[in-house]
């Protein structure tokens, strides 16, 4: 009996080996080659990015090249791209020992994740029934960036606790889970979630939190000392915060409906973000001696408005409705951070999403002709449950996989 | 008599209390709630951002969603947004003690200011006569950002001298004065000012300067030591400078006329900015030992071209006309900084605006069918006077309000 | 005979004088005034940026202002502008002694270069045969930014070795050579090169390398100590890298054909860039002890995918073709850096371009109705030779000019 315990311990507690000289290159090469093969088998241009666009135009009585979806969405796409790589990347520089890791590994997993997301989302959403191929265009690459955002939110909870190899693995599983979850929420339940508050942020937050909880190693906790921010790191982190904050209207409007849909989504998000800044500054100032502002609150909570508005961005919730969403979310997420519910980059996602459901349930005005607001509210709640379930169950499974003794190259400690 | 003097002194010279733990949260909460109520009473979506867009399209024979104003202006809007939050924010990091304050308080007052600006400008410009409601769309939120720019220019003159609470107050008054001034200049005098050289920059500069002059406290002057820049702060400030410089063509073209108007405004600004860089480097190099460049000159004066071009951006002043504007403004504003006419972020605004009037007076070619160039020149000059008057008189009043002994939480000194 | 040698030596080895207090202002003023005169003589607005746009619209049956080329290309233009000033600028901050120089002189020569490029390219490409004037619009200013990119790549090889005055001279000659080279490649040989891999990157790289080789001074080599990067400098350099990486799809699609051309160029570049990140991380990790990543590899080699895709971006090479290009280029350029083929900012340009030619030769599918793929491949190869010849011969001539004893203000050393 003692033997079995010892055996188990020796299995789970093998000395950690932080060397990733073989494992990281191997995983990068093999997965990239797999991507090339899968893209070769499955992925082609869609009607609007293919050289047959001129025929497509003629056949569909499209009078001008400016009607190509590229011109509706490309400016928003570039803004979302900046949010993923500069926004999330620099948000993670505020931990002084992880400036490089924050930006660099963010770069690596996003670059891998978006390729895998194009495939996974393609199989679920963009499969051409005639030839079984995925047809990609501007909307697909925006969606791939969205998908990556979910994994980067999870990464925020794990910063400094996992090796690059583990990050690649959790990105692979994260994207896969995300694509399935998204398909169920959007296509089976027909839930409306333009900026992906529940699909992206709820899933990403709980996925990261669960993995973080399973990978918890007490000896690594002294690394909390390293979580302290330093002056210059904070200014770098503000670059991330500001680019996320400024471009959130593009995030929420990027794949909204053409015309008034995109227009309204951008305005609603702009207003919610502005309101969340004021309440965040207020709560942050209240909580500190002499009212001195804590930049970490500001860095994290000001984004609450944008996250919260995600689901409802396209709805006719009126400008004052947007302000209310931002106002309430700024308060809740700053409190969430103050009372240490969770790591900084997560609290706002979790809390504001829940609130958001309430707002949604009451506020949209007949966007779904076939469903009463109450029915739709029920489906929205069901969607939230699906996102939670995928985040927690998926995170638990991936967490255990990452604890398997293997060549993960995770940070070493004396005993586990 | 001595009693009265003593009484006055004790009134004006109460010990300063830099604690803003109550006052800042209070002002943020109360004003944000006021915004929500006012938005609830007055603000709705306009025809292009409302769900009735499809009816509007049908009624006005608009054939395509791409004709929605959103697609004409959204890319420029996001660039302007970056200028406000990253551009102005990081421009203020070059003072070593105020990196955080620069970016953070810039963020706070811009987020408040844009909401108030939507209301104030809405009442003057976008009131629907049928129902007394303000109808907002993409053009309104661009204008709100413009309006905020005026206050941020004033903030540049006050950096380190005022508390966040005072900043909120001066933003409230600044936006109010700005909206009235703008209404008089654009709608009563029918002055042309696409990039807002006089409406935004002249007003903002004199508003800030006057408040700065009234709040002047000799004991705070030792803080001039803190104005010195350090190496990394300067690199951060370059981020601000570059984003302002690069996106100025968007600033000047964002609300220009559709088609050739936006096109020409962008090209003219692009050229003026390029020319101002060369003259700024030249003067800066001339003024220093061994020709070593002073980055503060460069940070401030290179923007002169864009500011100066603001009013005239849409005019047919020819490419070489744009180069001349940039050339002259680069020289004047660098000299302005060298001879300490004013604080760095102001000199270029003030000086280049005056010059600009001259350029305008002679250069536009019949944009106003009903007015001769000379008449229009007169009106442009009148507009400038209005901007000056609002800046100076408004600044004086707000300055005195901010000197009232109250819970401003302004930086303390031994005696006043 | 000894006399002649001594005479030569005293001619070439005059003591260097690093003072640029007179020469830099002089060159800036004179050249800017020359620009104004040349613009006055030659440059006017084109049909789409001129006030006669409404007549042009009527005459050509254009139904809407949104058909103005401005709306097709302006968002991409602003992204390219950010790449030139923030991307290239901050890429050069990674050398600790040159953070300022990197950003500041990049700013100066780009601002001059784009004016000269508008003229040079205008004479070759946009001359109106009716009145002998250059008509400029949005496409011209994008091309001017492209043209400047070639000189900034050359600047990367010379960082810290040349004075600002020398930079101005090599920019003047570089733009001139570039415009001629581009005319021969695009208009005489009819080579396809949307993102300018050969026209911009091959030319720029060899131009810079050749000048660097000719200006080589052994005593300056101790400055290699100064090439080491420091922590914060590296984070700044990541800002440059990321903005270059993120906006490269705009670079390659900015002047592609309306409609599917721009759409496909953006998607192909997006995919190639993602693939190059994975292979770069892999090779970089393989080459270091314990697999620790070298940020300089990442900063330089991740861009390989975008550069390589330049020429082929618009072709129907399929999504998997783009991934293959990125995959191979990431490997080659990281190896190029490891084995010190050249300075960091150059290796990826040189190596990936050559590879690219191969890809091109086999991959495009009948874009040229009049030429067989094999013939077109031959012309593509001829284009590459022209780019190499201009880079090497032009660089040699300019290098010798810059060695002439003169008031260059170049960094001094004890003897030459």
């Amino acid at each position: 009996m003692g033997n079995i315990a010892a055996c188990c311990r020796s299995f789970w507690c093998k000395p950690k080996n932080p060397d990733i000289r073989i494992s990281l290159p191997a995983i990068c090469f093999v997965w990239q080659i797999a991507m090339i093969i899968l893209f070769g088998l499955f992925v082609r241009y869609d009607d609007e990015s293919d050289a047959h666009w001129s025929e497509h135009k003629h056949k569909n009585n499209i009078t001008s090249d400016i009607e190509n979806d590229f011109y509706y969405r490309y400016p928003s796409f570039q803004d979302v791209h900046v949010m993923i790589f500069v926004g999330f990347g620099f948000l993670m520089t505020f931990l002084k020992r992880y400036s490089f890791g924050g930006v660099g590994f963010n770069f690596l997993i996003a670059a891998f994740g978006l390729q895998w997301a194009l495939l996974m989302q393609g199989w679920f959403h963009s499969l051409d029934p005639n030839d079984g191929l995925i047809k990609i265009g501007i909307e697909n690459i925006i969606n791939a960036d969205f998908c990556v955002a979910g994994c980067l939110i999870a990464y925020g909870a794990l910063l400094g606790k996992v090796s690059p190899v583990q990050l690649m693995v959790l990105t692979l599983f994260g994207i896969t889970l995300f694509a399935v979850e998204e398909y169920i929420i959007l296509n089976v339940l027909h839930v409306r979630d333009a900026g992906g508050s529940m699909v992206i942020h709820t899933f990403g937050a709980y996925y990261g939190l669960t993995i973080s909880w399973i990978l918890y190693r007490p000896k690594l906790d002294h690394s909390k000392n390293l979580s302290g921010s330093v002056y210059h790191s904070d200014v770098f982190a503000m670059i991330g915060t500001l680019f996320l904050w400024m471009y959130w209207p593009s995030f929420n409007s990027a794949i909204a409906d053409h015309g008034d849909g995109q227009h309204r989504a951008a305005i609603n998000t702009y207003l919610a973000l502005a309101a969340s800044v004021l309440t965040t500054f207020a709560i942050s100032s209240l909580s500190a001696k002499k009212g001195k502002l804590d930049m970490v609150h500001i860095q994290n909570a000001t984004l609450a408005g944008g996250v919260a508005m995600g689901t409802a961005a396209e709805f006719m919730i009126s400008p004052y409705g947007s302000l209310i969403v931002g106002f309430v979310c700024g308060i809740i997420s700053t409190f969430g951070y103050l009372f240490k519910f969770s790591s900084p980059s997560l609290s706002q996602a979790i809390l504001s999403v829940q609130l958001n459901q309430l707002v949604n349930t009451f506020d949209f005005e007949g966007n779904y002709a076939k469903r009463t607001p109450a029915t739709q509210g029920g489906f929205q709640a069901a969607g939230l449950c699906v996102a939670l379930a995928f985040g927690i169950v998926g995170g638990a499974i991936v967490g255990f996989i990452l604890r398997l003794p293997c060549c993960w190259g995770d940070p070493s400690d004396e005993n586990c």
Side-chain angles (χ1 to χ4, degrees), chain A residues 26-226:
Chain A
I27 211 169
C28 286
F29 270 120
V30 172
W31 290 10
Q32 185 59 56
I33 290 166
M35 288 298 126
I36 291 173
I37 294 168
L38 290 169
F39 269 67
L41 294 173
F42 290 107
V43 183
R44 296 293 177 274
Y45 303 118
D46 73 3
D47 284 335
E48 316 221 350
S49 58
D50 193 277
H52 300 102
W53 159 249
S54 55
E55 295 160 29
H56 175 81
K57 231 171 41 167
H58 192 74
K59 212 168 59 188
N60 293 273
N61 277 324
I62 297 165
T63 51
S64 162
D65 279 332
I66 198 96
E67 291 286 334
N68 193 304
D69 203 32
F70 181 78
Y71 302 103
Y72 285 93
R73 307 202 185 278
Y74 188 70
S76 304
F77 159 67
Q78 278 292 10
D79 295 347
V80 171
H81 219 41
V82 172
M83 292 174 72
I84 298 295
F85 290 92
V86 164
F88 281 106
F90 278 86
L91 197 63
M92 291 165 192
T93 58
F94 76 102
L95 303 181
K96 65 185 156 196
R97 229 190 75 182
Y98 301 113
S99 288
F100 263 5
V103 182
F105 295 134
N106 184 78
F107 194 18
L108 175 65
I109 64 176
F112 166 69
L114 60 87
Q115 298 177 53
W116 182 230
L118 275 173
L119 281 167
M120 284 302 302
Q121 293 188 315
W123 281 316
F124 282 113
H125 298 290
S126 307
L127 211 58
D128 186 328
N130 299 321
D131 52 13
L133 294 170
I134 299 165
K135 301 294 170 66
I136 63 169
I138 184 79
E139 206 170 323
N140 296 72
I141 66 177
I142 294 172
N143 271 314
D145 271 18
F146 281 178
C147 193
V148 164
C151 286
L152 298 182
I153 289 169
Y155 172 36
L158 295 165
L159 203 61
K161 294 175 190 162
V162 289
S163 73
V165 176
Q166 288 177 315
L167 281 176
M168 292 290 284
V169 173
L170 75 86
T171 303
L172 180 79
F173 285 104
I175 302 278
T176 312
L177 290 165
F178 179 90
V180 178
E181 173 236 5
E182 188 193 41
Y183 179 76
I184 294 174
I185 292 178
L186 301 188
N187 295 51
V188 177
L189 299 178
H190 293 289
V191 165
R192 197 81 173 165
D193 190 33
S197 288
M198 78 176 71
V199 168
I200 297 171
H201 300 281
T202 307
F203 167 75
Y206 283 100
Y207 181 64
L209 268 187
T210 311
I211 296 175
S212 167
W213 181 76
I214 289 173
L215 291 186
Y216 179 78
R217 288 186 284 155
K219 284 290 161 75
L220 259 180
D221 252 20
H222 63 85
S223 76
K224 271 189 181 160
N225 305 333
L226 303 170

